[in-house]
Amino acid sequence: MAVAWNHMEFEVPYPSLANEVKVGHNYLRLLLDDAQPKIYDAPKFFIELYHKFLLSPSGSMRLSCLQGLAIVYRTYHEQIGPFGGIAHVCAMV
């Protein structure tokens, strides 16, 4: 008898993470605590974090997103390349 497991639909809920802000596959608080974060697909994550910044109604969330953007860009600037949204970010700050 063959057994199949659809691992893509498998999920384990962690109640302790319910209040954590998640961007892509990463938790924002953990990113801010790590000076050299290990990010899979940094360009995609950077854009997702930028969108989180743009859509956040909370000033403290925007600040956290900006800190995260700075950390990710400092670490992965060569992979991310030029960032055309910097003028908009500066205008919003």
Side-chain angles (χ1 to χ4, degrees):
M1 170 198 266
V3 176
W5 176 41
N6 187 351
H7 70 323
M8 298 299 285
E9 293 180 7
F10 182 76
E11 183 177 341
V12 177
Y14 292 98
S16 61
L17 297 177
N19 295 327
E20 291 286 341
V21 176
K22 189 173 180 184
V23 179
H25 297 290
N26 301 284
Y27 291 98
L28 187 55
R29 181 182 56 81
L30 297 177
L31 170 69
L32 298 177
D33 290 344
D34 190 353
Q36 294 290 325
K38 304 292 186 260
I39 307 266
Y40 173 76
D41 198 358
K44 180 180 177 186
F45 175 75
F46 186 82
I47 294 301
E48 289 175 356
L49 186 56
Y50 177 58
H51 286 145
K52 185 79 162 178
F53 165 77
L54 292 175
L55 299 174
S56 178
S58 163
S60 62
M61 177 60 68
R62 282 188 175 171
L63 179 59
S64 294
C65 289
L66 280 176
Q67 291 171 331
L69 286 168
I71 291 169
V72 173
Y73 198 79
R74 181 177 58 239
T75 307
Y76 295 99
H77 60 91
E78 290 179 0
Q79 291 178 21
I80 295 169
F83 175 54
I86 194 67
H88 186 70
V89 169
C90 291
M92 290 182 71
V93 173

